[in-house]
Amino acid sequence: MLITLKDDEGNTLLTAEEIKSLVLEITVATVDNPSNAVEWALDEMLNQPHIFVKALQELDEVVGKDRFVQESDMSNLHYIRACIKESLRIHPFAPFNLPHVSTRDTTVAGYFIPKGSHVLLSRPGLGRNPRIWDDPLLFKPERHLKDDKSQVILNDPDLRIFSFSIGRRGCAGVNLGTTVSVMLLARLLQAFTWSPPPNTPYIKCVEGASEMLPSKPLLAFATPRLDEKMYYSLFQN
């Protein structure tokens, strides 16, 4: 589609370099953002075992142990979704959104933005804002659960967190990103019991010096928690 885009005179709209840049952005967002959210979630959950218990209780009630979790179960996995959203809040993949340029003079939240301004939003600045979030550095999935048990969405129209962006320039893959992130965490939690390495009572959740990824890859032990026949059927499929 990108290659065949042409203007009214039949000229190619995008250069090869522009197409490569777009494809790279799509690839990074699709793969790295969900995996980063899940790794940070496991990091945080290993330090708070009661969160693991709640997540497994939900999986056992909604899915059980006789089959693997499927996409059709996602609408009922409120706590799992809340864990992913909390990970995106505290540990965004990148410090800023993609640059936006204002097309006209405007005022947003009391700030005057002249036409032509490059607008960048701080992801950690929003997600860790103490004026919005109680104990902003504490991993607490319950903060995203609603009393009416309505589904937890991973983006936030009020921009209290910046996960998939919003509006006309919002991420086109928000549904895919949600599905990949929630399913990855749900499968890992359902299939294995996770524990920190020996003599490691606490895992330090530290960001890298030059990026927001974990400073060290997560090291944890995974023990199967389902019947062994389940794993054979998974590999056969």
Side-chain angles (χ1 to χ4, degrees):
M1 209 162 94
L2 297 174
I3 293 172
T4 57
L5 285 176
K6 300 182 183 300
D7 60 19
D8 295 337
E9 299 179 357
N11 299 316
T12 302
L13 284 177
L14 299 175
T15 66
E17 288 73 18
E18 290 172 329
I19 293 175
K20 290 177 182 179
S21 297
L22 285 169
V23 172
L24 177 61
E25 283 187 1
I26 293 172
T27 302
V28 170
T30 304
V31 177
D32 288 353
N33 202 16
S35 63
N36 180 68
V38 170
E39 182 174 8
W40 274 117
L42 288 174
D43 268 331
E44 296 279 6
M45 294 170 77
L46 283 169
N47 291 331
Q48 300 188 64
H50 68 278
I51 297 180
F52 261 119
V53 172
K54 289 184 179 180
L56 293 177
Q57 286 177 343
E58 181 178 71
L59 281 166
D60 290 343
E61 291 173 2
V62 174
V63 182
K65 294 185 177 181
D66 297 327
R67 64 178 180 85
F68 282 108
V69 60
Q70 304 294 330
E71 288 184 33
S72 56
D73 300 309
M74 282 182 48
S75 60
N76 296 316
L77 296 176
H78 306 292
Y79 196 75
I80 300 294
R81 297 171 75 98
C83 289
I84 286 291
K85 186 169 186 176
E86 183 70 342
S87 180
L88 291 170
R89 180 188 71 82
I90 305 180
H91 304 292
F93 172 67
F96 298 101
N97 65 310
L98 295 175
H100 290 61
V101 178
S102 58
T103 58
R104 63 177 183 273
D105 291 349
T106 188
T107 300
V108 178
Y111 293 94
F112 174 68
I113 303 175
K115 177 181 177 180
S117 298
H118 287 234
V119 181
L120 293 171
L121 296 178
S122 170
R123 294 174 185 265
L126 291 170
R128 303 173 188 176
N129 186 350
R131 292 179 295 176
I132 302 297
W133 304 101
D134 295 330
D135 297 320
L137 299 182
L138 177 64
F139 187 84
K140 186 179 178 182
E142 289 81 3
R143 71 173 86 237
H144 303 295
L145 298 175
K146 302 175 182 178
D147 295 335
D148 58 2
K149 298 295 184 181
S150 58
Q151 192 173 111
V152 178
I153 59 173
L154 299 194
N155 57 334
D156 192 328
D158 297 324
L159 272 183
R160 296 176 302 170
I161 71 171
F162 201 109
S163 52
F164 293 96
S165 189
I166 58 171
R168 295 171 59 191
R169 296 292 186 269
C171 176
V174 59
N175 291 330
L176 176 61
T178 297
T179 300
V180 171
S181 302
V182 175
M183 283 295 296
L184 177 57
L185 179 60
R187 283 283 180 98
L188 289 174
L189 293 179
Q190 184 196 25
F192 302 99
T193 297
W194 296 88
S195 59
N199 302 319
T200 308
Y202 184 82
I203 294 179
K204 294 183 180 179
C205 298
V206 180
E207 296 171 357
S210 59
E211 55 188 4
M212 303 199 70
L213 302 176
S215 58
K216 295 181 180 180
L218 172 63
L219 179 61
F221 287 97
T223 305
R225 65 182 296 268
L226 302 176
D227 187 278
E228 61 181 22
K229 296 179 181 179
M230 294 278 291
Y231 302 95
Y232 293 144
S233 63
L234 180 64
F235 289 124
Q236 289 174 354
N237 292 333

